[in-house]
Every structure is written in C-alpha cells, then in structure tokens.
C-alpha cells in the first residue's frame, strides 16, 4: 500500500499524460449488498480511483438496476478490478470456511459476515495509511480525476448509510477481514496493472 501511494504521488504528471477512463466492475444488480458498498469505499479510499453507482439493465431480472463504475488511469483501474474480484471471492471463501468450522447450515448470516470482512480489511488499510502519513506520504486526492468524474456525471447525490446491524457473524467476519493479505496478481493483471507488491 505504501509503495502504491508513493507511486501515485511521484507520477502525478505521468497520470495527466496517461489520461483517465472508466470501467464497470461486477454485474448489474437490482439490490446492492452492504459488503459491495463497503468494497466500493475501499477502492475509492485506498486504490486511487473514484467510484459511482450508475444505472444499468439487469438482464436476468428484466429490470433496471445499478452497477459500480470506477474512474481513473488505466493502470489504477486494472488494480481496482483485481482488488474488487479478489475481495469478493475471498469474503465468500471465508464465509464457507466459517460455516464449516461452526457447523452452520444456512446462509442467513452470509451478508453480515461478508460485510464484516470488508470492514475489517478496510480497517487494516486505514492503519497502513496512518503509518504512511507518519512517514510523510500523504495522498490528498487528484483534482483532475474529480473533474473527470464530474464531467461524466455533473449531478450526483450521496447515498444513505448501509444500516448495518452488527452481531456475532459480523464480528467474526471483521476479524477475518483484518487477516487478509492482498497478494500481487499474476497473469494479465500483473502485466498491465503494475501493482507494486503485497498490500496489507
């Protein structure tokens, strides 16, 4: 995380030359789960992209829904896409492991557990960001990226809170999320995304 921060601070001029673009992550859905909202915040706070939920058609349901759009440089979008997929898959895997360990048969608490996972990982990244600030590495945002998003969507509104009810499943997920290590991707993401080492 510290290396990615230094990379983005040092290459602000190069980013301006590279330009910004956008990408949709995940599948359009009529219902956005709390874990996905937290994950969108993680990408925005820690991975040098701006995020917005935009209208989209949900073919499987035959109705309108929303999908997550991320804006940034091509390189940072590659990293954000990798992180998005990795965390969703990891949260689901951790839930399956939690069910086996505790003899849970239903998926009633899956949403709360996965939200806890995302919150725990976010807390881990925030701790890393605080350490970076103590070392003098401070990310103050990118006004040009904000202007790009505003140009695409001049009128945006803030959503309400996720209304999370914290219970035992949430806390188990939160503890599991704090233990996640985001490894450097391999394959196409590693070639194009320029992720600079482990995060967390």
């Amino acid at each position: 995380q510290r290396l990615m921060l230094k990379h983005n601070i040092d290459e602000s001029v190069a980013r301006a030359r590279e330009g910004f673009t956008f990408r949709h992550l995940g599948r359009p859905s009529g219902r956005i789960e709390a874990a996905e909202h937290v994950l969108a915040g993680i990408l925005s706070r820690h991975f040098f992209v701006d995020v917005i939920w935009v209208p989209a058609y949900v073919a499987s349901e035959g109705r309108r829904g929303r999908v997550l759009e991320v804006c940034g440089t091509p390189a940072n979008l590659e990293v954000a896409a990798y992180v998005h997929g990795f965390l969703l898959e990891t949260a689901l895997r951790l839930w399956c492991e939690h069910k086996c360990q505790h003899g849970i048969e239903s998926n009633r608490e899956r949403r709360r557990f996965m939200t806890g996972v995302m919150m725990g990982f976010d807390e881990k990244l925030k701790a890393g960001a605080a350490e970076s600030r103590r070392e003098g590495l401070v990310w103050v945002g990118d006004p040009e990226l904000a202007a790009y998003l505003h140009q695409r969507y001049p009128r945006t509104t803030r959503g309400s809170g996720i209304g999370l009810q914290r219970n035992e499943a949430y806390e188990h997920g939160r503890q599991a999320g704090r233990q996640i290590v985001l490894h450097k991707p391999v394959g196409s993401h590693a070639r194009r995304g320029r992720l600079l080492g482990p995060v967390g």
Side-chain angles (χ1 to χ4, degrees):
Q1 184 184 36
R2 189 158 53 248
L3 288 172
M4 288 183 65
L5 174 60
K6 190 174 187 303
H7 172 76
N8 275 271
I9 291 175
D10 290 346
E11 296 207 359
S12 58
V13 175
R15 285 202 314 278
R17 289 198 304 267
E18 188 177 11
F20 301 112
T21 185
F22 68 94
R23 181 170 180 170
H24 291 168
L25 301 182
R27 298 179 178 178
S29 176
R31 176 180 180 180
I32 309 301
E33 296 189 1
E36 295 175 277
H37 280 289
V38 178
L39 175 52
I42 289 174
L43 297 180
S44 177
R45 282 187 293 274
H46 304 291
F47 292 96
F48 313 102
V49 295
D50 271 353
V51 305
I52 185 171
W53 292 97
V54 298
Y57 182 70
V58 186
S60 61
E61 301 176 12
R63 63 189 181 96
R64 301 287 292 179
R66 292 184 296 167
V67 67
L68 181 64
E69 180 173 303
V70 292
C71 301
T73 64
N76 285 338
L77 292 187
E78 285 291 333
V79 174
Y82 169 75
V83 173
H84 182 270
F86 176 89
L87 288 180
L88 284 177
E89 292 174 6
T90 299
L92 184 58
R93 173 179 58 81
L94 289 171
W95 166 244
C96 292
E97 292 175 357
H98 177 74
K99 285 179 63 179
C100 291
Q101 291 172 0
H102 294 82
I104 300 172
E105 296 183 358
S106 75
N107 284 315
R108 186 179 62 182
E109 297 294 342
R110 177 184 61 84
R111 292 187 178 89
R112 288 194 182 93
F113 180 92
M114 292 183 64
T115 303
V117 169
M118 299 301 177
M119 293 293 288
F121 188 66
D122 188 33
E123 291 168 1
K124 182 177 184 178
L125 292 181
K126 286 179 179 177
E131 179 63 27
S132 294
R133 286 193 295 272
R134 285 192 289 270
E135 296 179 8
L137 293 171
V138 180
W139 178 252
V140 295
D142 191 331
E144 293 186 7
L145 176 56
Y148 173 81
L149 180 64
H150 180 72
Q151 184 180 31
R152 284 184 56 76
Y153 302 102
R155 297 180 180 179
T156 59
T157 58
R158 291 185 176 272
S160 58
I162 59 177
L164 179 66
Q165 180 182 356
R166 303 186 179 190
N167 61 2
E168 186 177 5
Y170 169 87
E171 292 299 335
H172 279 295
R174 185 179 171 200
Q175 292 300 322
R178 289 175 174 175
Q179 305 305 314
I180 292 176
V181 175
L182 180 59
H183 294 286
K184 180 177 179 179
V186 296
S188 59
H189 287 293
R191 290 193 299 272
R192 299 194 304 267
R194 300 194 310 228
L195 181 57
L196 303 178
V199 178

